[in-house]
Amino acid sequence: PVPTRHAQENVLQRVLQLPVVSSTCETLQRKYSSTKESHPLMASVCEVYERGVQGAGALAMWGMEPVVRRLEPQCESAVAVANNLACRGLDHLEEKIPALQYPVDK
């Protein structure tokens, strides 16, 4: 296959860098932090939830590690193709929806 400019790009990073997405994430993070600071009971519930998510993530990574190691050579190619297609789709969306380039408040 002919290498494209998307070969080095990561679609997830591109999406997170879109002003509309990054400003939404920042707003949600501020609201979440503010809620935790304002409501002690909510803060303790959130902390339990956060620890649970971290534990589940670590357990999932530990359980998937042998599978990932075995499939890594085959998966790299498939992931590169999927990433390339997703980046092309994102190019199209950015072209058709200019609002993606503006923060939420605009």
Side-chain angles (χ1 to χ4, degrees), residues 42-79:
M42 182 63 85
S44 62
V45 169
C46 289
E47 287 169 12
V48 168
Y49 173 75
E50 290 167 8
R51 282 193 300 266
V53 169
Q54 287 174 343
L59 183 60
M61 290 296 290
W62 176 79
M64 290 299 296
E65 187 179 356
V67 175
V68 169
R69 256 193 254 136
R70 244 189 222 136
L71 296 176
E72 193 170 23
Q74 296 88 2
C75 287
E76 276 184 30
S77 176
V79 168

Side-chain angles (χ1 to χ4, degrees), residues 4-105:
T4 65
R5 72 180 186 98
H6 299 300
Q8 300 301 317
E9 291 179 321
N10 178 311
V11 72
L12 182 58
Q13 289 172 337
R14 277 190 59 195
V15 168
L16 291 174
Q17 289 173 356
L18 287 171
V20 70
V21 174
S22 62
S23 68
T24 300
C25 289
E26 289 169 8
T27 299
L28 290 173
Q29 179 62 40
R30 281 194 304 271
K31 296 278 186 199
Y32 181 74
S33 295
S34 172
T35 300
K36 281 175 57 174
E37 290 172 11
S38 302
H39 305 284
L41 180 58
M42 182 63 85
S44 62
V45 169
C46 289
E47 287 169 12
V48 168
Y49 173 75
E50 290 167 8
R51 282 193 300 266
V53 169
Q54 287 174 343
L59 183 60
M61 290 296 290
W62 176 79
M64 290 299 296
E65 187 179 356
V67 175
V68 169
R69 256 193 254 136
R70 244 189 222 136
L71 296 176
E72 193 170 23
Q74 296 88 2
C75 287
E76 276 184 30
S77 176
V79 168
V81 169
N83 184 67
N84 190 17
L85 288 172
C87 282
R88 281 197 231 157
L90 187 54
D91 288 341
H92 183 72
L93 283 176
E94 287 177 306
E95 182 182 308
K96 297 292 182 188
I97 309 171
L100 294 174
Q101 299 303 323
Y102 298 101
V104 172
D105 60 353

